[in-house]
Amino acid sequence: MTPGCKMARARRPPVLLLMLLMLLGGSCRLSRGTSAGPVPLVIWHGMGDSCCNPESMGYIKKIVEEKIPGIYVLSLRIGSNLIEDMENSFFMNVNDQVELVCDKLAKDPKLRDGYNAMGFSQGGQFLLVQAQYWHDPLNEEEYRKNSLFLADVNQERGINGTYKKNLMSLKKFVMVKFLNDTMVDPPDSEWFGYYRSGQAKETIPLKETSLYTEDRLGLKEMDQAGKLVYLGAVGDHLHFSKEWFFKNILPFLQSS
């Protein structure tokens, strides 16, 4: 995200989509002030979806509101209508989407004391895709030179202290990996792992990546402080049950 935006960015897998029907590919928890009431929730949908689809984001919004009475849930719409919202998830420049969302969040008075953020698939990263999110392990220099988004977010062309500070302000950074994912390449990137440089077969976990060892985003320090949470869901990309959601995700939204 842009330096002034308080919402944290998750790393995008190589071809990618980060995470839920949803991939709760990135559920992030931001701090809240002293105001009474449930912590608000911001939802960012994935590619090809929309803010209010009753079979996906609309459904998630509904069950969260049922389980946490009085909660304010903002499901982000990128565009003036649902069609634009869906089209923009494919074609709108990632950085433009981030700027738009940052502005929207900053102007919402209900979010001024903090909020929880839940990103599904690419929404968990920006958690766009293909060209904008692809990290080519076979041509690292070309990737760093021409990447429109990912190389900057991963601090691979220079260190932006604001990115690191904002990410480290999270109380919890929850990452969900779909254990039978056939869409994200490689699936380990849902937990910030990636291909070992120079080839595209063997993957390494987050702790063996330079992103972690050099602590460019603060993930190592967050890990040592117990802020990183790794969850696994049996099933393909964005496939999870209501029961799994209630058991594994809802507790993070209920504790304020």
Side-chain angles (χ1 to χ4, degrees):
M1 293 194 132
T2 58
C5 187
K6 292 297 291 180
M7 189 175 180
R9 284 174 155 173
R11 179 178 185 230
R12 189 64 145 172
V15 51
L16 269 142
L17 276 111
L18 183 73
M19 308 174 188
L20 223 188
L21 66 149
M22 314 188 150
L23 194 158
L24 282 180
S27 177
C28 311
R29 186 161 176 10
L30 295 173
S31 61
R32 179 173 172 78
T34 57
S35 300
V39 178
L41 173 64
V42 174
I43 299 174
W44 195 335
H45 66 79
M47 184 175 295
D49 202 352
S50 69
C51 67
C52 312
N53 185 333
E55 300 298 322
S56 56
M57 298 302 98
Y59 176 72
I60 293 298
K61 182 176 185 292
K62 177 183 177 181
I63 62 175
V64 168
E65 291 172 336
E66 290 176 348
K67 284 289 184 176
I68 309 178
I71 188 173
Y72 171 60
V73 180
L74 172 63
S75 187
L76 294 166
R77 186 180 71 186
I78 313 299
S80 59
N81 55 58
L82 299 187
I83 299 299
E84 281 190 7
D85 188 22
M86 181 178 68
E87 292 177 342
N88 285 337
S89 71
F90 286 105
F91 306 118
M92 188 176 183
N93 182 282
V94 173
N95 293 297
D96 292 339
Q97 291 191 53
V98 170
E99 290 288 352
L100 187 155
V101 168
C102 286
D103 183 65
K104 188 185 295 284
L105 299 183
K107 292 179 178 178
D108 191 328
K110 295 181 180 179
L111 304 177
R112 62 173 175 243
D113 291 325
Y115 53 91
N116 290 323
M118 184 185 299
F120 290 79
S121 195
Q122 78 172 12
Q125 252 146 146
F126 286 139
L127 308 196
L128 240 153
V129 177
Q130 284 94 347
Q132 299 193 57
Y133 275 139
W134 175 252
H135 175 177
D136 188 351
L138 302 178
N139 197 333
E140 297 281 354
E141 288 303 318
E142 191 70 14
Y143 149 71
R144 282 190 284 269
K145 178 181 178 181
N146 297 312
S147 172
L148 297 179
F149 177 76
L150 192 59
D152 285 330
V153 177
N154 284 341
Q155 310 272 49
E156 295 177 277
R157 290 193 290 226
I159 303 298
N160 184 319
T162 302
Y163 286 167
K164 184 173 181 178
K165 178 182 178 181
N166 287 351
L167 186 62
M168 292 182 66
S169 71
L170 297 175
K171 291 184 176 179
K172 291 289 182 182
F173 182 13
V174 183
M175 295 166 278
V176 178
K177 176 182 176 180
F178 289 91
L179 303 181
N180 308 104
D181 205 315
T182 60
M183 182 175 292
V184 172
D185 176 23
D188 287 345
S189 61
E190 295 169 2
W191 282 350
F192 268 69
Y194 200 64
Y195 289 118
R196 190 179 297 279
S197 183
Q199 49 84 59
K201 292 184 179 181
E202 179 189 1
T203 60
I204 56 176
L206 169 62
K207 290 186 177 182
E208 294 181 27
T209 66
S210 59
L211 182 69
Y212 184 93
T213 59
E214 297 173 7
D215 210 16
R216 298 195 301 263
L217 281 175
L219 292 173
K220 182 177 181 179
E221 188 171 338
M222 292 175 71
D223 185 28
Q224 294 172 341
K227 290 185 175 184
L228 302 187
V229 179
Y230 300 86
L231 298 180
V234 176
D236 205 343
H237 188 65
L238 300 183
H239 290 193
F240 62 95
S241 67
K242 180 170 67 174
E243 291 71 27
W244 183 91
F245 182 85
F246 286 163
K247 178 181 178 180
N248 295 281
I249 301 301
L250 198 66
F252 291 103
L253 307 180
Q254 292 174 317
S255 58
S256 57

